[in-house]
Amino acid sequence: MPLRYKVAKASAVLFTLFSASVSAQQALTSVCSARYSQWSFEEPKFDVSEQLPGSILVHSDNSNVSNNGEALFTGNVSIRQDGQWLLTESARINQEKQTIDANQGVLFSDGYIQVKGNSFNYNGVSSTAELRDTEYRMKSTQARGQAQLLRLSEQHVNLFSSSFTTCPTDDPAWKLTADRIEISQDEDFGEAWGAKVELFDIPVIYLPYFTFPVNDKRKTGFLYPTIDTSSINGLEVEVPYYFNIAPNMDATLAPVYISKRGTMLKSEYRFLTDNYGGQINLEYLQNDSLRLDNADRYLWHIDQQAQFGDHWRAYVDATQISDDNYLNDFGSDFAGRADTHLYRVAQVDYLNDNFFARIRTEDYELLGQYQSPFRTLPQLSMRYDQGSYTGINWAVESELTYFQNQDDANQYATRAHLEPSLSYSVEAPAYDGEAEFSYLYTHYRQERPSTELSDSVSRSLPRARLRGRLHLERFFDGDDGSYRQTLVPQVQYLYVPYEDQSDIGIYDTTLMQDDYYGLFRAQRYSGLDRIAEANQITYGATTSIFDQRERELLRFAFGQIYYFDESRTELLEQNTARTSSNTEWVADLTWAITPNWSVKSAIQYDTELNQTRKSQTAVEYRFDNKNLVQINHRKATNILNSDIEQVGAQAVWEINNQWQVAANVYYDLVNSRTNDAILGVQYSSCCWALRVSAYRRINLNLEPAMAGTANAGMMQNTFAAPEFDNGVSLQFIISGLSSDGSSLIEMLEKSIYGYRRPFYLSN
């Protein structure tokens, strides 16, 4: 298109320039923003109401138009076209040659980028513009830099002998320099040739060629490395590489050098569609040098979910490790170092209005030398619920399960279960209640050569349950406004007759944890291998307080079970039977005392023995999301014939805009030792951060010494004494090139016991 200009005190035609900006991922504080270089210019404002789209408007103090179509504009020259501006003292426009030249210093802006340079030259034939000896900044981010030559065309931006940084200071802590940088209008990523990363003006990385994002889309390339030290593992260096396979699919490959063990390879693959998604992880270390047997170490994890139409869904969640000490030695994102078992499940569900069916296979891997558990291969369960008719409801549940011992295929069993039930319920605003009668029939076929269990055994038990609740509420005024309090007392009677079940094996049953809501369960054990007799009354109440915005500020619950008869049903040979003399009070409290103070507490108290069987309390002061202090205590008696009592403290505190400190410590009162401690200090500048953390944690050896470390000494088939692992971690964060991990709370969440916020209610 030939150059056309319209004089408005002095006017000319400009060009169409491609606007591009480099997006930097960062979150700098207001203090840093105030330090930003202020050379950016005010764009001129004048009436453009008569300017046609695509045309240009030129303002200047003086203008001189010759007969050959060349115009010279001098004195406060401003040129505008479609939101693009050029400011200079002198500009020459040649309509015939399609050129614009400004050589006395220029300021240019296209709404996204601002450029200050010595000269500006535009060629309309090639539709390119060049700015020399430039400084540039992105208006939407803190990104800025310099370039000896900045060349713009309709589709590309090229920077030659250029630099790039997101540091707002005149002397940036880091910057990227390159012989050439190119950004394309149609691409999400820029390209750089002959690039160097400089820290404090010292080149640390040279890359002949690499690409970088110009927006927030993902890109294949290296992620930031992590460096750790450990008294057991030695130096650990992990360098992840990310693969952006597709918009709904990616992968990460991370070699990890462990100085005392060897090199581990970690991999992750993730995908997501409308009806299907999940991830697969694999970790592998060949010939662990720290083990006497130089065994290979590995972990694999699979997590998949699928939805097939309106009625079918599937789910898989499984983790497998090479040995019981893997989690202690390496940690994992899929299990905690303090976990006692791994759970694996794969299932397919069918759901309809009144019918539910599931086929599932599952197993547990117990960590340590315990009796090998059974896995289900598979389990088929169904439930049909007729629905309520004038308060009457009947339903039937059934299950068919095949169990096999994980280590001995000669030990297996088949269990068939049928459970019809009939219930009557009433519900009103002030109360609700339910009466339920069910019949539990279970048949076993067992092959247990090493035991005296019956080959075939059947069990039939009726169960009756009667429950009722009141719903009370009141309104009251406090110092800060009006409040609503609810009170829900409830009572339940449960009856199940006794039947000797000692000739039934234990396949998927364990004692369930007791809390307030567990008091009103219809059974004491999970699974079906043990159904405890019951002749008992449970009573309790919950109360909550809500503010004017219906936010729950407090929830308190307490209750007790009173046993009329002694219980004789036990799980294995453990003393899990109930007697009429060991009734317990159970109480739970969750309370936001103020917007800053909160407390959570749970307790089980034996009224006959006058002792606390279990308790857990946490008190927290939270100034904001970056500043908190928490003190907690936990206690449990007769856990595997031993007691547990620990006290802990956690804190994260932002001393000022640059310094942040986080720490936790958990002390074992029974064994008089520190089980877990961590201290982290982070210094954050406007464009970089340095985090140093040190930890000390217990490192339990769950395998016999013969499979332990090379320092285990004589081989003995006994558990090694607990060891302690000490380590230091160093992390360097560059703002604008990595995510801003500014909060140290995430560091506490990854410790053995982890951080848990004490006050968190659903509404």
Side-chain angles (χ1 to χ4, degrees):
M1 180 181 70
L3 284 175
R4 296 176 294 107
Y5 62 86
K6 172 184 178 182
V7 176
K9 191 176 181 180
S11 305
V13 159
L14 193 58
F15 45 84
T16 301
L17 287 180
F18 162 64
S19 60
S21 65
V22 178
S23 172
Q25 304 172 358
Q26 56 184 348
L28 300 180
T29 64
S30 59
V31 175
C32 294
S33 298
R35 298 170 58 189
Y36 195 87
S37 179
Q38 297 298 321
W39 65 260
S40 59
F41 54 89
E42 287 287 337
E43 298 176 353
K45 302 182 184 298
F46 49 84
D47 185 14
V48 294
S49 58
E50 296 183 359
Q51 183 180 7
L52 297 176
S55 65
I56 69 166
L57 191 63
V58 179
H59 278 205
S60 66
D61 294 338
N62 304 290
S63 63
N64 184 6
V65 180
S66 63
N67 294 329
N68 61 359
E70 185 175 86
L72 176 64
F73 302 93
T74 59
N76 297 317
V77 180
S78 61
I79 307 174
R80 180 185 186 276
Q81 180 190 31
D82 296 335
Q84 303 172 32
W85 293 91
L86 179 67
L87 304 180
T88 184
E89 284 298 313
S90 175
R92 187 179 298 275
I93 300 177
N94 190 309
Q95 185 174 2
E96 181 180 350
K97 295 181 180 180
Q98 301 286 300
T99 60
I100 300 176
D101 298 289
N103 299 307
Q104 296 184 16
V106 297
L107 297 174
F108 169 78
S109 173
D110 62 1
Y112 298 95
I113 185 174
Q114 288 189 340
V115 183
K116 179 172 68 173
N118 288 341
S119 64
F120 175 89
N121 305 101
Y122 173 72
N123 187 317
V125 177
S126 60
S127 297
T128 60
E130 292 184 350
L131 294 94
R132 298 183 181 277
D133 298 325
T134 66
E135 294 181 46
Y136 69 89
R137 64 178 293 268
M138 304 301 173
K139 295 187 64 176
S140 59
T141 70
Q142 301 279 18
R144 63 191 181 95
Q146 298 176 340
Q148 289 187 6
L149 174 62
L150 192 152
R151 181 179 295 160
L152 305 100
S153 65
E154 293 182 356
Q155 298 294 328
H156 300 276
V157 174
N158 282 273
L159 298 95
F160 298 88
S161 299
S162 59
S163 65
F164 170 86
T165 185
T166 58
C167 289
T169 59
D170 293 332
D171 186 17
W174 74 269
K175 64 181 177 181
L176 173 71
T177 63
D179 296 335
R180 177 190 168 200
I181 296 176
E182 180 176 330
I183 303 171
S184 175
Q185 181 181 15
D186 299 328
E187 299 293 334
D188 298 318
F189 305 95
E191 299 175 280
W193 290 265
K196 293 182 293 183
V197 177
E198 298 182 6
L199 299 179
F200 305 102
D201 295 326
I202 300 175
V204 294
I205 301 176
Y206 174 75
L207 299 169
Y209 171 81
F210 84 107
T211 60
F212 57 93
V214 296
N215 50 38
D216 58 358
K217 293 188 178 181
R218 300 172 303 171
K219 171 63 180 174
T220 296
F222 283 102
L223 304 177
Y224 278 91
T226 58
I227 301 174
D228 298 293
T229 63
S230 167
S231 60
I232 294 180
N233 292 341
L235 177 66
E236 299 182 38
V237 180
E238 179 176 350
V239 183
Y241 191 85
Y242 177 79
F243 296 89
N244 182 30
I245 302 173
N248 66 328
M249 189 182 304
D250 62 14
T252 304
L253 195 65
V256 185
Y257 171 74
I258 307 174
S259 61
K260 293 186 178 181
R261 295 185 182 273
T263 300
M264 172 182 286
L265 186 62
K266 295 182 178 180
S267 60
E268 179 181 78
Y269 170 72
R270 302 186 303 176
F271 58 96
L272 180 66
T273 66
D274 292 339
N275 299 315
Y276 194 59
Q279 70 179 61
I280 300 173
N281 295 78
L282 177 63
E283 302 174 3
Y284 182 76
L285 171 64
Q286 186 177 19
N287 298 333
D288 187 345
S289 303
L290 205 57
R291 288 177 62 101
L292 291 173
D293 54 4
N294 291 117
D296 296 342
R297 316 288 296 278
Y298 64 84
L299 174 148
W300 61 258
H301 171 79
I302 182 171
D303 183 359
Q304 312 284 318
Q305 307 90 33
Q307 183 82 32
F308 309 105
D310 296 332
H311 303 290
W312 291 92
R313 64 188 182 191
Y315 174 67
V316 177
D317 185 4
T319 302
Q320 175 68 37
I321 55 179
S322 57
D323 54 87
D324 291 342
N325 274 342
Y326 188 94
L327 298 179
N328 276 327
D329 293 342
F330 305 107
S332 175
D333 293 334
F334 316 110
R337 294 179 184 270
D339 286 357
T340 59
H341 67 277
L342 296 175
Y343 175 65
R344 295 181 281 264
V345 60
Q347 65 188 46
V348 178
D349 297 338
Y350 176 81
L351 302 90
N352 210 332
D353 294 337
N354 300 319
F355 180 73
F356 172 79
R358 168 179 292 169
I359 182 169
R360 174 174 63 179
T361 177
E362 63 178 348
D363 68 38
Y364 293 86
E365 180 178 351
L366 300 180
L367 304 182
Q369 282 193 324
Y370 298 101
Q371 182 178 351
S372 177
F374 285 79
R375 56 167 58 101
T376 60
L377 296 171
Q379 179 186 84
L380 176 64
S381 57
M382 293 178 288
R383 175 180 174 85
Y384 179 80
D385 194 327
Q386 176 61 32
S388 178
Y389 177 72
T390 65
I392 299 176
N393 180 73
W394 70 272
V396 59
E397 295 185 29
S398 62
E399 175 195 302
L400 179 62
T401 308
Y402 177 77
F403 298 100
Q404 186 180 77
N405 190 287
Q406 294 184 15
D407 297 331
D408 186 357
N410 294 321
Q411 297 189 34
Y412 54 89
T414 301
R415 182 179 70 197
H417 178 75
L418 184 66
E419 183 179 335
S421 63
L422 180 66
S423 64
Y424 175 76
S425 60
V426 293
E427 185 173 350
Y431 61 87
D432 68 82
E434 182 182 26
E436 180 186 20
F437 177 81
S438 55
Y439 189 80
L440 290 75
Y441 174 78
T442 314
H443 178 74
Y444 287 83
R445 297 286 297 179
Q446 304 176 118
E447 183 62 33
R448 302 285 294 274
S450 59
T451 65
E452 298 179 358
L453 300 177
S454 301
D455 294 338
S456 178
V457 59
S458 297
R459 178 190 62 201
S460 301
L461 288 172
R463 182 171 64 198
R465 187 184 186 193
L466 184 64
R467 179 186 61 83
R469 293 188 298 183
L470 294 177
H471 302 276
L472 309 174
E473 70 176 17
R474 72 182 182 100
F475 294 88
F476 65 95
D477 294 329
D479 296 337
D480 300 326
S482 299
Y483 299 90
R484 180 173 66 92
Q485 181 182 9
T486 63
L487 177 64
V488 183
Q490 59 179 318
V491 62
Q492 173 183 280
Y493 175 73
L494 179 66
Y495 177 78
V496 180
Y498 170 76
E499 183 171 335
D500 183 12
Q501 302 167 55
S502 58
D503 54 353
I504 297 176
I506 303 299
Y507 304 104
D508 66 348
T509 298
T510 187
L511 181 67
M512 289 189 288
Q513 293 288 335
D514 291 330
D515 55 15
Y516 172 77
Y517 300 99
L519 297 178
F520 296 89
R521 296 191 188 105
Q523 59 193 58
R524 289 182 55 218
Y525 302 106
S526 66
L528 296 170
D529 302 324
R530 291 293 183 269
I531 298 178
E533 72 276 27
N535 185 16
Q536 63 192 48
I537 288 182
T538 307
Y539 43 87
T542 61
T543 183
S544 295
I545 295 178
F546 301 85
D547 65 10
Q548 298 179 52
R549 300 175 61 182
E550 287 301 311
R551 292 179 302 182
E552 190 172 13
L553 305 179
L554 178 144
R555 182 185 300 166
F556 177 65
F558 66 96
Q560 185 183 36
I561 300 177
Y562 182 80
Y563 303 94
F564 293 103
D565 299 322
E566 294 184 355
S567 173
R568 291 169 286 172
T569 302
E570 296 186 8
L571 186 65
L572 299 175
E573 297 180 356
Q574 303 173 6
N575 184 20
T576 60
R578 295 283 192 181
T579 67
S580 59
S581 62
N582 66 0
T583 58
E584 297 177 358
W585 278 102
V586 175
D588 293 318
L589 171 67
T590 305
W591 184 15
I593 304 173
T594 70
N596 304 112
W597 285 97
S598 59
V599 61
K600 181 176 180 63
S601 182
I603 187 172
Q604 299 177 34
Y605 185 78
D606 193 312
T607 58
E608 295 294 330
L609 300 178
N610 292 323
Q611 72 173 17
T612 300
R613 293 177 60 88
K614 291 181 182 179
S615 70
Q616 181 171 322
T617 302
V619 180
E620 179 174 295
Y621 176 80
R622 175 181 284 262
F623 182 77
D624 53 32
N625 288 332
K626 292 185 178 181
N627 298 274
L628 65 91
V629 177
Q630 182 187 115
I631 299 175
N632 54 68
H633 174 270
R634 64 189 72 181
K635 180 179 181 180
T637 59
N638 196 25
I639 303 297
L640 298 178
N641 298 319
S642 63
D643 296 339
I644 297 173
E645 186 172 8
Q646 298 170 344
V647 62
Q650 306 186 81
V652 176
W653 205 257
E654 191 173 66
I655 301 174
N656 53 41
N657 291 324
Q658 285 77 42
W659 290 96
Q660 190 180 34
V661 179
N664 76 3
V665 59
Y666 284 91
Y667 187 77
D668 189 332
L669 297 174
V670 176
N671 297 297
S672 300
R673 66 191 182 198
T674 300
N675 284 347
D676 185 28
I678 188 170
L679 173 65
V681 179
Q682 178 170 300
Y683 174 80
S684 301
S685 178
C686 294
C687 52
W688 63 277
L690 180 65
R691 178 184 300 176
V692 181
S693 60
Y695 67 85
R696 174 178 172 83
R697 59 173 174 248
I698 193 170
N699 193 51
L700 295 176
N701 189 353
L702 299 176
E703 294 183 312
M706 65 170 56
T709 67
N711 300 323
M714 297 181 60
M715 296 184 183
Q716 299 176 359
N717 193 19
T718 59
F719 287 109
E723 299 177 348
F724 287 89
D725 186 14
N726 305 311
V728 176
S729 176
L730 177 66
Q731 185 176 7
F732 188 76
I733 303 168
I734 299 179
S735 301
L737 292 181
S738 65
S739 59
D740 180 23
S742 59
S743 177
L744 290 178
I745 295 179
E746 62 186 30
M747 182 186 72
L748 300 183
E749 292 173 342
K750 295 179 180 180
S751 61
I752 291 181
Y753 299 103
Y755 167 77
R756 296 293 183 272
R757 188 171 183 177
F759 184 80
Y760 188 79
L761 297 177
S762 59
N763 55 345

